[in-house]
Amino acid sequence: MAEQLIIEGNSKTEKYQALLPQTQALLAHETDQTAALANLCAALKMTFDWLWVGFYVVKKNELVLAPFQGPIACTRIPHGKGVCGTAWKENRTLVVPDVDAFPGHIACSSSSRSEIVVPVHGPDGQVAAVLDVDSEHLNEFDEIDARFLDDIVAPLSRLFT
């Protein structure tokens, strides 16, 4: 993949449709987990200019901060706590239209208004990491984001052994 993305289209769906094959190409031959996570963060941040895009990796009984783009973040999140810990515990994507309305929300940045967290599964099907995306706008994320972000992170499975 080139050092730049080619994103054409104005709608969210069109942007994802342009981004998805490029992220698949980016990950196709990458064998290093950190490099893959870092480039996916950059690709998503460049395409959508969200407040924060990053990964937390499961280590023992907590999520530990991994590559990200955006403001300084929380470094450790317990299982079942906040949006990320809840997505991990429930093994499902969580779309949060208003983070202030989410019980137990962990506010790493006071600028965050909405959030989506997508589990990344290892080869064994267990949650190995989560993709966490925050926006400065309410109601930023929906089922379109959930579907495409799930497709974007799916190739990461092979990097978690």
Side-chain angles (χ1 to χ4, degrees):
M1 180 169 163
E3 294 175 357
Q4 66 181 23
L5 296 173
I6 300 170
I7 305 297
E8 296 177 353
N10 295 320
S11 77
K12 182 189 304 191
T13 299
E14 290 170 330
K15 288 180 181 181
Y16 275 122
Q17 288 171 335
L19 180 62
L20 182 58
Q22 294 177 80
T23 60
Q24 290 172 332
L26 181 68
L27 297 175
H29 301 291
E30 184 53 64
T31 58
D32 185 83
Q33 182 185 96
T34 301
L37 298 179
N39 268 337
L40 273 185
C41 289
L44 289 166
K45 180 82 166 145
M46 288 171 60
T47 301
F48 296 101
D49 195 30
W50 290 313
L51 173 66
W52 198 91
V53 178
F55 288 91
Y56 285 91
V57 176
V58 174
K59 293 189 179 183
K60 297 184 182 177
N61 62 343
E62 62 187 356
L63 293 168
V64 178
L65 183 64
F68 72 93
Q69 301 246 331
I72 292 172
C74 304
T75 56
R76 297 176 187 277
I77 298 173
H79 187 254
K81 301 297 181 188
V83 182
C84 291
T86 302
W88 171 26
K89 180 181 179 182
E90 296 179 3
N91 191 10
R92 67 183 181 99
T93 297
L94 290 180
V95 175
V96 180
D98 179 355
V99 296
D100 292 332
F102 187 88
H105 175 253
I106 299 170
C108 296
S109 170
S110 61
S111 297
S112 178
R113 302 297 313 275
S114 62
E115 184 171 4
I116 185 170
V117 178
V118 181
V120 178
H121 298 96
D124 62 358
Q126 297 297 310
V127 177
V130 296
L131 168 65
D132 180 20
V133 183
D134 292 5
S135 172
E136 295 172 292
H137 308 286
L138 291 170
N139 299 304
E140 178 80 19
F141 307 106
D142 56 27
E143 290 307 312
I144 294 169
D145 299 289
R147 180 170 45 92
F148 278 103
L149 291 173
D150 187 58
D151 290 345
I152 285 171
V153 302
L156 294 172
S157 175
R158 64 181 173 76
L159 298 176
F160 290 91
T161 55

